[in-house]
Amino acid sequence: MFTTQKDVEQHHSVTKHKECFPNWATYGGAELSQQTFNKLYTPEKPEIDYASAARIVSIGSTVYPPTLYFWYKFLDKKFVGTAVKTVMTKVAADQLIMTPILLATFYTLLGVLERKEDVFEELREKYWKTFIANQAFWIPGQTINFFFMPSHLRVVYVASASFIWINVLCFIKRQKTDKTEEKLEA
């Protein structure tokens, strides 16, 4: 996994780095706020599902921080500056390369953690709806990020904006799939 002492030190500095801290609170807070909204304002009034929140937190605090930390570092080294063309290149790369990977990871890992028979069911059913919502939210969000945020604050900015996005993501995640509705009708 680590080939040099520098790799070990770099990994250690990322895992203890303060930029990783907000993600567990952001993901947990967003999932619990989405559940609270549903409990208060939907006819079903579902109970708060702490296990679901824990699954969301586990992905949001272990997978995304190091991935995004190194991704933004790579983008900042590869595309230096805040010129319009540079920023648009970063945003396009972020949305067309990293976003598909992160969305697929989100739905697939949650399928595994939920012990679903078909861990790819939600990915197939909800991917494009989620991807389109992601583009509507994150293209402006990442444009702001790459134009105005210093590189050492990118993950913190994304974690803050993510609170809103994760509410949307959890809303989409919570929607029933065609197969789920068929099971309920049977």
Side-chain angles (χ1 to χ4, degrees):
M1 182 169 157
F2 303 112
T3 56
T4 66
Q5 178 65 26
K6 185 178 176 187
D7 290 342
V8 172
E9 290 168 2
Q10 189 174 25
H11 174 74
H12 180 68
S13 71
V14 170
T15 56
K16 72 175 191 170
H17 203 278
K18 65 185 177 194
E19 293 170 348
C20 294
F21 168 76
N23 285 285
W24 69 265
T26 302
Y27 278 79
E31 167 66 2
L32 290 173
S33 70
Q34 181 59 225
Q35 288 189 37
T36 301
F37 179 86
N38 288 338
K39 185 175 176 75
L40 295 174
Y41 298 109
T42 63
E44 298 86 20
K45 308 257 182 252
E47 291 300 314
I48 301 296
D49 182 353
Y50 293 103
S52 173
R55 288 187 294 269
I56 298 284
V57 166
S58 69
I59 292 169
S61 63
T62 61
V63 175
Y64 290 172
T67 302
L68 292 174
Y69 175 84
F70 288 110
W71 174 246
Y72 294 140
K73 240 179 132 156
F74 165 76
L75 287 178
D76 285 339
K77 280 185 182 178
K78 184 79 174 161
F79 308 105
V80 178
T82 58
V84 172
K85 183 178 178 183
T86 302
V87 169
M88 292 300 111
T89 302
K90 287 180 182 180
V91 171
D94 190 60
Q95 293 306 299
L96 300 174
I97 297 170
M98 188 53 69
T99 291
I101 294 167
L102 292 177
L103 292 179
T105 300
F106 176 80
Y107 282 119
T108 304
L109 285 180
L110 281 175
V112 169
L113 292 174
E114 292 168 353
R115 298 184 174 154
K116 291 191 172 186
E117 187 175 310
D118 179 0
V119 297
F120 300 110
E121 177 185 348
E122 278 192 311
L123 177 62
R124 285 190 301 273
E125 295 278 334
K126 298 175 181 177
Y127 178 82
W128 288 110
K129 180 182 213 173
T130 308
F131 183 78
I132 291 166
N134 182 300
Q135 300 305 299
F137 184 83
W138 282 113
I139 287 175
Q142 290 296 54
T143 301
I144 292 167
N145 186 16
F146 293 127
F147 262 127
F148 302 111
M149 298 305 297
S151 61
H152 69 279
L153 293 178
R154 293 202 201 283
V155 174
V156 174
Y157 167 82
V158 169
S160 300
S162 288
F163 182 81
I164 298 165
W165 166 246
I166 297 161
N167 269 281
V168 172
L169 186 60
C170 291
F171 172 77
I172 295 169
K173 165 85 174 93
R174 197 158 276 105
Q175 292 177 347
K176 306 273 187 260
T177 65
D178 292 339
K179 288 184 180 180
T180 305
E181 289 179 10
E182 288 172 10
K183 288 177 188 174
L184 292 175
E185 291 172 1

